[in-house]
């Protein structure tokens, strides 16, 4: 069959074609005015992302109200043992269960019930914490650390045999690493690490034997910037200690005879941290 040179008839009918459709979501170049009517203009807990997709908007709702306990200005919160433990600026400590019920677990009255000389924490703007052997240890850099037990009993961290916290350091930062409780941010010794006796949280340098607790001054290892510790963290088998302008990598658990002798394994200059969570 041979082709024909006959021209095709022309038509005056103009067909309209759509070059865009919205089956896959909104297009970023479109606004709400030229969208098809089958799309809702009002979204509940949803929002239009930059790529045109619809995403869930995560909101908040009231879970627990501590105001009835005079806990008004919360500076710290931690999920611990099925409870949310909070500390307010005046030193009061509360807890909330999964149903939002609130409890006052530490104030002057509860402290004095343990000993007439004890009080709650003083005014604090900062709290750090770490779990050790199923218990929560909290530090604020102003007062002696507190220990929260699984039953929400709160007491000052202490050497159990001596029932004393005379040698427990006052520090801002605390972390657990390789069976040791490590503290830093001592106002009197800002470049010093305090390392507890192995497997115990309340026994520190100066307490009775058996005791391998020690202190380690990192000031001379800092090549530049302030030698004040800004944070500590545990990463695998290393203890990470941060400063304003450097990071120091340490190894714990090295002993010379019976004395704990921590090792500085690396110093990373020009990389520091100003937040203990960084």
């Amino acid at each position: 069959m041979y082709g024909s040179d006959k021209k095709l008839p022309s038509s005056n009918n103009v067909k309209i074609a759509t070059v865009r459709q919205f089956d896959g979501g909104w297009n970023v170049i479109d606004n709400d005015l030229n969208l098809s009517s089958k799309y809702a203009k009002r979204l509940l807990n949803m929002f239009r992302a930059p790529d045109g997709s619809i995403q869930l908007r995560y909101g908040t709702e009231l879970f627990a109200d501590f105001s009835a306990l005079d806990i008004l200005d919360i500076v710290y919160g931690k999920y611990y043992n099925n409870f949310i433990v909070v500390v307010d600026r005046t030193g009061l400590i509360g807890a909330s269960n999964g149903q939002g019920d609130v409890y006052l677990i530490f104030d002057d009255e509860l402290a004095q019930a343990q000993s007439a000389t004890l009080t709650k924490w003083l005014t604090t703007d900062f709290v750090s914490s770490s779990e050790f052997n199923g218990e929560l240890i909290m530090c604020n850099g102003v007062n002696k650390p507190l220990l929260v037990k699984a039953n929400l009993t709160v007491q000052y961290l202490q050497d159990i045999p001596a029932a004393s916290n005379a040698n427990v350091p006052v520090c801002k930062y605390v972390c657990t690493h390789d069976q040791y409780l490590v503290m830093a941010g001592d106002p009197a010794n800002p470049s010093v690490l305090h390392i507890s006796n192995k497997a115990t949280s309340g026994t520190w340098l100066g307490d009775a034997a058996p005791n391998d607790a020690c202190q380690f001054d990192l000031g001379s290892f800092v090549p530049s910037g302030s030698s004040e510790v800004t944070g500590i963290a545990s990463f695998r088998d290393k203890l990470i200690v941060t400063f304003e302008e450097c990071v120091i990598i340490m190894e714990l658990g090295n002993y010379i005879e019976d004395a704990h002798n921590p090792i500085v394994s690396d110093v990373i200059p020009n990389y520091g941290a100003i937040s203990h969570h960084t």
Side-chain angles (χ1 to χ4, degrees):
M1 182 176 180
Y2 295 93
S4 173
D5 293 332
K6 185 178 180 180
K7 295 183 178 180
L8 294 175
S10 61
S11 173
N12 293 326
N13 295 329
V14 179
K15 293 184 179 180
I16 298 175
T18 301
V19 296
R20 293 179 303 177
Q21 63 176 351
F22 305 101
D23 293 341
W26 288 345
N27 190 302
V28 293
I29 66 173
D30 294 309
N31 57 45
D32 291 341
L33 297 179
N34 62 8
L35 289 176
S36 171
S37 60
K38 66 181 179 180
Y39 288 89
K41 304 298 189 295
R42 182 179 180 184
L43 299 177
L44 298 178
N45 295 325
M46 306 287 288
F47 72 99
R48 179 183 174 189
D51 63 356
S53 63
I54 306 298
Q55 295 186 9
L56 181 64
R57 185 193 307 276
Y58 294 96
T60 60
E61 64 176 331
L62 179 63
F63 178 74
D65 186 354
F66 287 91
S67 60
L69 305 177
D70 291 328
I71 297 176
L72 303 175
D73 193 0
I74 295 175
V75 296
Y76 164 90
K78 170 73 174 179
Y79 181 77
Y80 166 69
N81 195 34
N82 297 320
F83 284 85
I84 299 176
V85 177
V86 301
V87 181
D88 87 337
R89 199 174 301 276
T90 67
L92 295 174
I93 302 178
S96 171
N97 62 15
Q99 290 71 47
D101 302 321
V102 296
Y103 309 91
L104 183 66
I105 61 175
F106 199 66
D107 62 358
D108 284 333
E109 183 178 348
L110 291 169
Q112 290 170 4
Q114 301 175 31
S115 174
T117 60
L118 296 180
T119 62
K120 64 177 177 61
W121 269 355
L122 300 176
T123 301
T124 181
D125 295 320
F126 176 90
V127 180
S128 66
S129 67
S130 182
E131 292 186 43
F132 188 96
N133 197 26
E135 299 173 327
L136 182 68
I137 292 97
M138 300 189 298
C139 296
N140 69 349
V142 178
N143 306 105
K144 295 281 187 174
L146 292 174
L147 181 145
V148 183
K149 295 186 176 181
N151 63 0
L152 296 185
T153 300
V154 182
Q155 64 185 55
Y156 280 92
L157 185 65
Q158 62 181 4
D159 179 43
I160 294 177
S164 169
N165 68 350
N167 295 307
V168 177
V170 174
C171 291
K172 289 184 66 175
Y173 315 118
V174 58
C175 83
T176 301
H177 178 73
D178 195 19
Q179 291 188 283
Y180 300 96
L181 189 67
V182 184
M183 294 187 189
D186 182 344
N189 301 285
S191 63
V192 170
L193 284 184
H194 298 268
I195 304 171
S196 75
N197 178 59
K198 188 172 184 178
T200 58
S201 60
T203 302
W204 298 84
L205 184 65
D207 288 325
N211 181 10
D212 60 15
C214 64
Q215 295 178 357
F216 197 99
D217 192 344
L218 289 169
S220 61
F221 292 89
V222 179
S224 63
S226 172
S227 62
E228 179 179 349
V229 175
T230 60
I232 48 176
S234 177
F235 180 71
R236 296 187 177 180
D237 62 337
K238 308 297 184 185
L239 180 69
I240 313 299
V241 186
T242 61
F243 297 83
E244 182 182 44
E245 295 184 12
C246 81
V247 177
I248 292 180
I249 314 299
M250 298 189 64
E251 298 179 18
L252 305 187
N254 179 65
Y255 284 82
I256 298 178
E257 295 182 349
D258 293 330
H260 188 191
N261 184 45
I263 298 174
V264 173
S265 59
D266 198 4
V267 177
I268 306 173
N270 301 322
Y271 290 90
I274 58 173
S275 169
H276 76 293
H277 276 272
T278 301

